Amino acid sequence: MSVSMTPTVGGDEDKRLSFQEQLELVKLPREGQAHRYISTRSAYLPGSDFAKGKELPSFHSAAFGGHVYAQAGLAAYRAWRETEKEKGVPEHARLDIHTINGYFTRIGLASRPFIYTASPVTASRTFSTVSVTATQPSVPSNSPSEDHYPAEDASLPQYPPAFTALLSFKLPEPDWDGTVSEQEAPPQERFASILSSRKPEEWPPAPPVDITGVVEIVGDDQVGTFPIAEMKKVDMKEYNEGKPVHERRELLLYRLLKPLPDDEDGKSGYDANAHVLVHAFVADRNGLLMAGNHIGLGYSLGRAASLSYHFVMHVEAKAAVMREEDGWWIQEVWFPRAGRGRGIVESKIWSPSGVHVATEYQDGLIQGFGGKLLKEKEVSGQEAKL
């Protein structure tokens, strides 16, 4: 993140948007076999939403990476669904999102729309792939509010791609022999004493910018305007005390802000795969910042930026559906490697009933001011400790 002295604007949690609002797409005319879409709402900008009186200098101008990641997934999913419908594939034979393999190639601007181009790459009855790229206009939007973007923005001159991804889609199938399904004990069991010490809603909100020094200044009660999901951060300080970095854990609890349809026929424009994308959106939040805290850059983080992000579903999309009556989902996060100015964030997505639904693996830049402090940590043995 680059530091500037532009003051941020105080936020209001009532402005938090639902999945349908935040990631809304408008279909554009096709270009050959390529399906095209444009976003309509500005991406979330972390740190722009501290409460009035708690504003800090702006840390960066880069949009939240989870926005383009999940929205690109939505564009690819819609392109694939449209392809299936054109081929007459019956509902029971349609494929679900299996993996999202994304690469961040340019800073995304929160003040401009993303234009997505999605093209089927391979197609079979049980396993298929779709590529998607996201670009942005190189000139300001036609919208004076820098939000509610008009479709004509897609005709503006474009920067090179800010993001590219390959998604795989797979036909759901049962466990082998109907019985084989293995996973480790869920966090609801392994961290039962910690999780049971408070009701889920009593944990503090996940910070808008989870950098130790920032949280100490603004407080741990900042809700902000992070869209789509309500998120809580479990206090893991006592558990992590004295452990090497790779053994530490962070737990985030989350649930939808507003209901999201999961129509079998997708008539609403959303089915269970939209819920998969909610989990992918949430999993990208604050991971590299938390890694920076754990490797000693909580007061001197100069830059954190995603390079690649991989999300793998272990179950069918239906198992990812988030229902209010089911309770809170858990993201379990850890940090297995840091060095050479980069860090790895891994996390598991757990359902309220303790099913390991998906895994995230992210590689990104984590650097101290001037890129020097992380190197000093390496020399002093931080790499070995990891």
Side-chain angles (χ1 to χ4, degrees), residues 346-360:
E346 288 191 59
S347 67
K348 292 182 179 181
I349 303 299
W350 297 91
S351 75
S353 62
V355 175
H356 179 193
V357 168
T359 298
E360 172 226 12

Side-chain angles (χ1 to χ4, degrees), residues 7-153:
T8 61
V9 179
D12 183 352
E13 56 265 31
D14 293 338
K15 297 178 182 178
R16 293 180 293 175
L17 301 180
S18 67
F19 180 95
Q20 302 93 304
E21 295 167 320
Q22 182 67 59
L23 298 186
E24 181 184 5
L25 287 172
V26 170
K27 188 176 178 181
L28 299 170
R30 280 198 198 182
E31 292 183 351
Q33 295 301 309
H35 302 249
R36 299 173 65 241
Y37 308 87
I38 185 171
S39 63
T40 65
R41 302 304 303 268
S42 61
Y44 173 66
L45 180 62
S48 67
D49 53 342
F50 293 121
K52 188 174 182 179
K54 295 292 183 73
E55 300 96 332
L56 290 176
S58 177
F59 289 91
H60 61 101
S61 59
F64 171 57
H67 179 104
V68 68
Y69 188 87
Q71 198 167 47
L74 182 61
Y77 147 74
R78 287 191 175 171
W80 181 248
R81 275 292 180 267
E82 189 171 336
T83 299
E84 288 180 321
K85 291 177 181 178
E86 290 172 352
K87 293 181 177 181
V89 177
E91 292 177 14
H92 73 272
R94 293 176 184 171
L95 311 185
D96 285 340
I97 293 174
H98 166 243
T99 65
I100 309 172
N101 303 283
Y103 302 89
F104 298 85
T105 53
R106 186 183 181 89
I107 290 176
L109 302 175
S111 60
R112 298 179 191 180
F114 287 97
I115 295 93
Y116 299 95
T117 302
S119 303
V121 178
T122 62
S124 72
R125 183 182 63 84
T126 61
F127 191 76
S128 300
T129 57
V130 175
S131 68
V132 58
T133 59
T135 59
Q136 289 189 293
S138 58
V139 296
S141 167
N142 289 301
S143 170
S145 68
E146 297 185 338
D147 194 2
H148 299 282
Y149 305 117
E152 53 262 34
D153 277 2

Side-chain angles (χ1 to χ4, degrees), residues 165-180:
L166 183 69
L167 281 80
S168 58
F169 294 81
K170 187 180 181 303
L171 185 69
E173 56 186 282
D175 295 327
W176 183 80
D177 197 29
T179 59
V180 177

Side-chain angles (χ1 to χ4, degrees), residues 254-271:
Y254 65 97
R255 61 185 180 184
L256 284 171
L257 286 173
K258 301 175 185 178
L260 173 62
D262 61 321
D263 302 337
E264 287 296 318
D265 56 14
K267 288 182 179 178
S268 68
Y270 305 97
D271 65 10

